[in-house]
Amino acid sequence: MNVPFLDLHAGYLELKPEIDEAVARVLDSGWYLMGEQLEAFEIEYAAYLGVRHCIGVGNGLDALHLALQAMEVGPGDEVIVPSNTYIATWLAVSQTGATVVPVEPDQGTYNLDPARIEAAITERTRVICPVHLYGQPADMQPISDLATRYGLLVLEDAAQAQGARYQGQRVGGLGHAAGWSFYPGKNLGAMGDAGAVTTNDDVLAARVRLLRNYGSKQKYVHEIQGTNSRLDELQAAVLRVKLRHLDTWNARRARIASHYQQALQDTDLQLPVVLDQTEPVWHLYVVGSRQRDVLQRQLTEQGISTLIHYPCPPHLQGAYRSAGWSAGTFPISEHIHAEVLSLPIGPHLTDDQVEAVVQAVHHVSVTG
Ligand SMILES: *Cc1c(COP(=O)(O)O)cnc(C)c1O
């Protein structure tokens, strides 16, 4: 049996009548940017998360970058980021002219290790940017406590965690602001690029609103030098439809994850560790193996598609060559990058496909 990593087309087919109708309504309206679909999505997503403000933007990278700009982060400032994350977290900081200060993750949860943050704080530090990696909430309480103690801001990179909860509260309102991506493969995904900033802070919200649209509230009046990063009406209409199904789809992911957790317990894979008081949304189901490349090859031979998130940490990418980090600088992150493998998980995997993955992994662990 062939098991795809993620079937986006199946997601469209399930909601086709609703999505087609929403898209047709936008096309017929003759209004394609900064209209009622965006306004409605912003209100609905803020309500879903329980935050005061949601500002739609062009993509997740812009969301993080605009939030940092609204926080007035710039050259000379430092921002603490996880050493293991998708490179967008780092690029958002670098685009402001500020310096990334990578901090190593916890080996078990793959998320920023709060115990390592304090040593990285200097008088230039302005923001801590935890990432809810793979859909698992970062340990926000100790991070917020540190931020309060040192007068820092907290920006959540929530791109992989639409709907996840920490201490009963949805992520995205746990810091001063959060950046979201609605890239098609995320748990809440558009049919193209889209993103958002959420915040409970009225001042930050007003700044992001100005920044995303040429620094303008009123046409042809430009209060600041903004950019063009808007969430268009078609994407907003699609996201409104999909938001209504997000909890159901996340619940399907959780069911698959819980099946994997039980069925793979007897293997020597490192299975995901879930922190107390968190409800992950299983954007990815990531296992660790010392024989990761062999495991991946043998799963591929059995028709099981897997991916590696991520094959190379940001500090060893060409993009950060000028910073001069060499192999061995962030050993925990490097170790993680060498061992992780993401098994298929998505709301449209069938029970048979999930079972095929489990069987294939068992087959590999005995033979390989
Ligand atoms: C997807 C992602 C982003 C960037 O989102 P885009 O919409 O692709 O710009 C940022 N951070 C993390 C952790 C992501 O997974």
Side-chain angles (χ1 to χ4, degrees):
M1 179 186 288
N2 280 321
V3 182
F5 187 75
L6 178 65
D7 189 350
L8 289 178
H9 188 237
Y12 168 56
L13 289 182
E14 181 184 331
L15 306 180
K16 184 170 164 53
E18 283 175 81
I19 290 176
D20 287 0
E21 202 224 304
V23 165
R25 219 176 318 124
V26 173
L27 295 179
D28 273 333
S29 74
W31 192 278
Y32 307 117
L33 276 172
M34 303 294 278
E36 58 185 39
Q37 292 301 320
L38 174 60
E39 215 169 290
F41 173 70
E42 289 178 341
I43 290 168
E44 289 162 8
Y45 195 53
Y48 172 81
L49 298 174
V51 296
R52 279 170 71 80
H53 305 281
C54 171
I55 305 101
V57 299
N59 56 66
L61 174 60
D62 283 356
L64 294 166
H65 176 229
L66 294 179
L68 288 165
Q69 265 194 298
M71 292 172 169
E72 300 183 299
V73 169
D77 293 333
E78 292 177 359
V79 176
I80 291 174
V81 295
S83 54
N84 66 320
T85 178
Y86 181 57
I87 196 168
T89 319
W90 287 38
L91 291 176
V93 174
S94 301
Q95 285 181 355
T96 67
T99 304
V100 285
V101 177
V103 167
E104 291 268 67
D106 174 78
Q107 292 250 24
T109 64
Y110 304 119
N111 270 327
L112 200 51
D113 183 352
R116 294 173 187 273
I117 294 174
E118 195 163 12
I121 296 175
T122 73
E123 63 270 24
R124 289 169 181 266
T125 310
R126 292 282 322 283
V127 179
I128 306 174
C129 188
V131 179
H132 306 303
L133 200 67
Y134 308 150
Q136 303 255 18
D139 196 1
M140 293 300 288
Q141 189 65 60
I143 293 172
S144 298
D145 291 348
L146 266 180
T148 306
R149 186 133 51 84
Y150 285 92
L152 309 176
L153 298 174
V154 175
L155 171 61
E156 298 171 78
D157 181 341
Q160 302 189 356
Q162 291 90 355
R165 291 182 205 258
Y166 180 82
Q167 296 179 346
Q169 204 186 326
R170 293 214 200 267
V171 304
L174 302 172
H176 297 86
W180 299 90
S181 166
F182 306 118
Y183 176 82
K186 309 293 193 198
N187 289 38
L188 177 61
M191 276 147 167
D193 277 315
V197 174
T198 55
T199 178
N200 288 308
D201 184 310
D202 298 348
V203 174
L204 289 180
R207 286 197 193 132
V208 173
R209 250 176 224 295
L210 275 180
L211 285 167
R212 72 162 172 194
N213 189 30
Y214 288 112
S216 168
K217 247 190 310 236
Q218 196 187 330
K219 211 168 170 72
Y220 305 129
V221 179
H222 304 276
E223 300 172 32
I224 54 173
Q225 292 184 7
T227 188
N228 174 1
S229 184
R230 299 176 292 223
L231 199 174
D232 68 67
E233 290 289 284
L234 282 171
Q235 300 305 337
V238 168
L239 288 168
R240 290 183 69 198
V241 170
K242 293 181 92 177
L243 179 57
R244 297 199 286 269
H245 300 272
L246 178 60
D247 284 344
T248 307
W249 287 18
N250 279 343
R252 288 189 208 157
R253 288 175 184 269
R255 246 191 340 265
I256 296 167
S258 126
H259 184 68
Y260 281 157
Q261 294 286 76
Q262 281 167 24
L264 301 179
Q265 235 176 54
D266 60 346
T267 66
D268 46 19
L269 297 176
Q270 184 190 326
L271 301 184
V273 174
V274 178
L275 272 191
D276 280 350
Q277 297 188 290
T278 67
E279 238 177 81
V281 288
W282 301 104
H283 174 58
L284 297 169
Y285 186 89
V286 176
V287 298
S289 164
R290 258 162 300 157
Q291 305 215 64
R292 190 264 314 274
D293 295 337
V294 179
L295 174 65
Q296 181 173 43
R297 189 162 6 93
Q298 295 190 1
L299 288 175
T300 306
E301 282 162 15
Q302 297 178 77
I304 312 296
S305 303
T306 58
L307 291 174
I308 295 168
H309 298 92
Y310 296 89
C312 175
H315 70 279
L316 298 180
Q317 298 278 358
Y320 284 94
R321 189 172 299 130
S322 63
W325 285 303
S326 54
T329 315
F330 298 108
I332 299 177
S333 178
E334 289 165 31
H335 177 82
I336 288 171
H337 282 78
E339 296 204 343
V340 288
L341 187 69
S342 306
L343 302 182
I345 191 165
H348 296 90
L349 277 189
T350 64
D351 291 349
D352 286 348
Q353 288 175 319
V354 174
E355 206 41 52
V357 174
V358 169
Q359 293 305 325
V361 172
H362 276 114
H363 192 65
V364 170
S365 332
V366 235
T367 58

